[in-house]
Amino acid sequence: MRPLSNPSIQTGTILTLAEIKAAVETFDRGETNVFDALDAIIVAVEAHQAAMARSVQRKDRHRDAA
């Protein structure tokens, strides 16, 4: 039986949330300004979206090969 989801996707999502939380915490401590915090969040989200797109492309290639 195949798992319903990919553990690496779940791990990537958790790491992305951790990066966002870290950016918010550095802003809350006053170690960074709002623009740098927002930039860090945007970078983390875009990296996650790119990883998800690569994952979908791999699944499609495997499906086409079968």
Side-chain angles (χ1 to χ4, degrees), residues 2-23:
R2 293 176 50 190
L4 296 177
S5 61
N6 186 345
S8 64
I9 291 173
Q10 295 168 348
T11 303
T13 302
I14 290 170
L15 292 174
T16 301
L17 291 173
E19 289 180 39
I20 292 169
K21 186 174 189 286

Side-chain angles (χ1 to χ4, degrees), residues 34-53:
V34 68
F35 299 109
D36 290 338
L38 287 174
D39 186 51
I41 292 168
I42 290 168
V43 168
V45 170
E46 287 176 346
H48 183 262
Q49 289 172 337
M52 295 302 102

Side-chain angles (χ1 to χ4, degrees), residues 20-66:
I20 292 169
K21 186 174 189 286
V24 170
E25 288 176 348
T26 57
F27 173 74
D28 286 344
R29 287 192 302 265
E31 296 174 6
T32 189
N33 63 37
V34 68
F35 299 109
D36 290 338
L38 287 174
D39 186 51
I41 292 168
I42 290 168
V43 168
V45 170
E46 287 176 346
H48 183 262
Q49 289 172 337
M52 295 302 102
R54 284 191 306 270
S55 176
V56 168
Q57 288 173 351
R58 273 185 265 149
K59 285 181 184 178
D60 289 342
R61 277 188 264 149
H62 290 324
R63 191 175 306 137
D64 291 342

